[in-house]
Structures are given as structure tokens and as C-alpha cells.
Amino acid sequence: MNESTTNLLGSNPGFLRLLHTMRMVAATDASVMINGEKGVGKTSLAKEIHACSRRRNLPFLPINCAGMPDADFASIFSGGGQQENAGSSEIPLGGTLFLDEIGELSDRSQSILFHFLDSAGSDQDLRVLSSSSRNLMDLVEQNQFREDLFYRLYVVPLDLPPLRERRADIMPLVDF
């Protein structure tokens, strides 16, 4: 087992099942959608998936989609994979791309991302992890999120419960 699992503490049976599922999916290249309220640790879970994967020695690039202007998003996903946000690094070839709060993307940015994943993304051997605090299926039904993008990203859903549903885990987290 990877030592970084110590950052994900808890003894709640549902949380332990989530960690077990996370370890199994980490060994694959499947796209993962991490669902949960803001502040529950979706980014930590995404980092853990990357750390437990065969890509652990390759780059992990988190992109916060909440409030990102379309022009900034386009600069990341068009023009040869150059990323001008966060220091002009490149989309991580062979690595992991984490799209945090994907439900906040505008229609234009959703189209840019879908085109990237449909063409260049498959050529780049790229693992895609996403998270959302919003119910994406509801957004699809309300025509606020692209259905084709939803099915591209929502291959393996992981639902991260809030601490109010894991009360026994609060004290170990405080002690940590």
C-alpha cells in the first residue's frame, strides 16, 4: 500500500469502501469523477489516486475550473497542449490531469475540453480525473452540462461523504 494513504484518514465503513474502490480504480486508466461537497477532500482523493497509479512518477496537473475565464481555459487546451496558467507548464504527457469543480465550466469551455479529450487527449496518454460539488446529471438534464462530456468523464464515480456523515472520523483527523 502507498504511504500517502495516511492523508486520507477514517474508519467509517462507507469511507473505507470508498478507499478500497479508489485503490482498485487507481490501477486502471479509467476516468474518475469525484463527487462531494466543497471542502470534503476531493483534491486529496485525486492526488491519492495519482499516487497509487502507475503514473505516480509522472506529472499531476490540477486545474481549478471554478471561475476560470474561457480564454484562460482555451489557452490550456488548445495550441499544442501548452498551459499558460500556473507557470506555463505543459499538459502532463503520460501524467494525470485533475479538473477540479468541472461543473462550473461555461458552455464554451466544455466544448473546448470535449474537443481536446476527443482528439489530442487520446494521443497524449493522459489520465483524467474530475471533481464536482454539483450534481452533473442534474446539470445535463437542465442542458447546463454537455451530455457527451459527462459520459467521457463520468466513467467511475466516487462519492466522497462529508464529515457530518463520518462523525467518528473527526477526532482522528483533528489529532492528525
Side-chain angles (χ1 to χ4, degrees):
M1 176 157 59
N2 187 306
E3 74 274 354
S4 62
T5 57
T6 59
N7 292 326
L8 299 174
L9 298 174
S11 60
N12 174 279
F15 184 70
L16 293 175
R17 280 190 300 277
L18 171 81
L19 292 180
H20 176 73
T21 303
M22 179 276 304
R23 287 184 190 101
M24 289 190 320
V25 75
T28 73
D29 285 329
S31 294
V32 176
M33 175 60 66
I34 303 168
N35 301 299
E37 296 175 5
K38 292 181 181 182
V40 297
K42 295 183 297 286
T43 300
S44 295
L45 186 60
K47 288 177 181 177
E48 186 65 19
I49 292 169
H50 176 73
C52 292
S53 76
R54 68 177 178 85
R55 299 170 187 270
R56 68 184 146 274
N57 295 321
L58 297 168
F60 175 85
L61 177 64
I63 296 175
N64 186 348
C65 299
M68 182 178 286
D70 289 335
D72 292 350
F73 198 80
S75 72
I76 295 170
F77 292 100
S78 57
Q82 286 296 318
Q83 202 258 90
E84 295 174 11
N85 184 25
S88 297
S89 60
E90 293 183 4
I91 297 287
L93 299 177
T96 302
L97 176 64
F98 174 53
L99 301 164
D100 192 19
E101 292 300 341
I102 192 101
E104 302 299 323
L105 284 180
S106 70
D107 291 341
R108 181 169 180 250
S109 289
Q110 290 177 42
S111 294
I112 291 166
L113 178 60
F114 182 79
H115 177 72
F116 172 80
L117 294 174
D118 197 44
S119 57
S122 61
D123 296 337
Q124 291 187 1
D125 182 30
L126 184 64
R127 173 80 180 269
V128 179
L129 308 175
S130 308
S131 77
S132 182
S133 58
R134 301 176 71 190
N135 184 318
L136 289 185
M137 182 52 84
D138 287 349
L139 295 178
V140 168
E141 291 171 358
Q142 297 164 9
N143 293 320
Q144 295 177 358
F145 198 84
R146 290 178 60 126
E147 186 174 14
D148 51 1
L149 181 58
F150 172 85
Y151 287 112
R152 177 66 61 101
L153 299 172
Y154 215 94
V155 177
V156 178
L158 295 177
D159 297 322
L160 192 54
L163 276 177
R164 71 176 170 278
E165 294 176 11
R166 305 170 36 213
R167 293 198 188 279
D169 292 343
I170 293 174
M171 286 313 296
L173 286 167
V174 169
D175 290 342
F176 178 74

